Amino acid sequence: LTMTIYGGFYHEKCIIPKWDQVYGSAGRAAAILSNFTSKITLNTFSSNIEYLEFFSNAYKINYVCNPSIINIKFEYFHTFSKANIICNKNNFDRYPSVKIEDSVVICYGTIEANAPIIKAEYAIFDFQSSTFNELFHEENCIDNIAIILNYEEAKYISSECIINDIKEYFFNTVKNLKVLIIKDGPFGGYVCSPDKVNNIPIYKNKFIFKIGTGDIFTCLFGYFWANKKINNLELEKIIDYASFGTAFYTENYKSQYKNNFLNFYESNTFERLLPNRNNFKNKVYLAGPFFNASQRWQIEDTKQQLEKLNFNVFSPIHDVGIGKSKEIAQKDLKGLDESDSVFAILNGYDPGTVFEIGYAIAKNKKVIALYEQNDEINLTMFHGSDCMIFNDITTALYNLVWTMTSK
């Protein structure tokens, strides 16, 4: 089957870890799927046709360039932070809908254009926004539709919170919808067919480069779903491929996606998880220094990221504040006693943080620590006490979720 991948081809830049590449959702999907087929056309908007031609030659794919004067860049501080979207035009009218006809279309959102008009046997829509008309054109003619979106988008569009109610809304609203996938970050998510709902497994890898994880899952699912008859694959196996492939490519992101994950699927060492929100113990104590601007910024940022993951955060600077030592210590210890886990920022070995970690260990609480220095010899007691220590905040946060959703 021939395939068109439609969507953004954008500059991405991250400070920690360092990343400075041009991919965007559609570019990343085309790069990954070039490992499986050469029958790919990347359909995108770009002001730099020379680079787009270079990209297509590098990955041996075809391209359609819709000329654009709009340049867009996504900037991140770390891979779990919210993107700062930079555009060379403050105000612009969206380009009109492009027409796409192919056997398979994987459709991501674009910033610069209206929803495309699609005629296809299979179409996979990755919403990336909270409105139907951002991606669905009323003139579409599609035999089999799959929709992939995150939990917050699904709740907003459907005005429902319960998964089965969300499922009913989409299947009643979208003609020819065959599969609905609701992504839920480190919790996995749900794959819905008209008659059932299953959980999406997680493959636990050593390092999580979060930029583009949703793009990867979507393109892998779309490719194997559209080719399910050729490859004789059931939906459960397709979802497993997409989940494992996402873990594989995020851990090996520096390879520019030039590997076929199936070569590693059978022999992989990733632990397969099925996180259960019903088991989620979400009370976490945020330990870390906050005595200068950089330390306070990291506390504020970490608290925000934990809350994005639905943790109920006890933070000494926020929940206790400044005061007399005796009063502060008693309130902090009470906060530790009432928490299920500790997320510690161990940079600099702040004495208060080290004490809080030791107290938590003595109370048999789970401790996840972020430590960005490079001197493992100083971590002997922490490792020996079963603390989980990571040098990347996204990896640390995901492992906290997985630890606190296990039975």
Side-chain angles (χ1 to χ4, degrees), residues 1 30 46 50 63 98 110 171 240 258 302 358 370:
L1 295 176
S46 179
E50 290 82 8
Y63 72 90
V98 299
T110 58
F171 279 98
D240 203 65
K258 290 183 177 179
T302 304
L370 175 66

Side-chain angles (χ1 to χ4, degrees), residues 6-7 10 44-45 66 68 70 72 92-98 108-116 133-135:
Y6 171 87
Y10 303 136
T44 190
F45 289 81
N66 305 290
S68 172
I70 302 166
I72 295 168
F92 59 87
D93 293 327
R94 286 189 162 205
Y95 291 111
S97 301
V98 299
Y108 297 96
T110 58
I111 292 173
E112 60 268 69
N114 291 321
N133 59 7
E134 290 285 320
L135 205 55

Side-chain angles (χ1 to χ4, degrees), residues 29-59:
I32 287 174
L33 293 186
S34 69
N35 292 295
F36 302 92
T37 178
S38 60
K39 298 176 181 178
I40 295 173
T41 299
L42 171 60
N43 190 316
T44 190
F45 289 81
S46 179
S47 61
N48 189 346
I49 191 170
E50 290 82 8
Y51 185 80
L52 185 56
E53 185 170 357
F54 167 79
F55 183 91
S56 67
N57 288 335
Y59 290 101

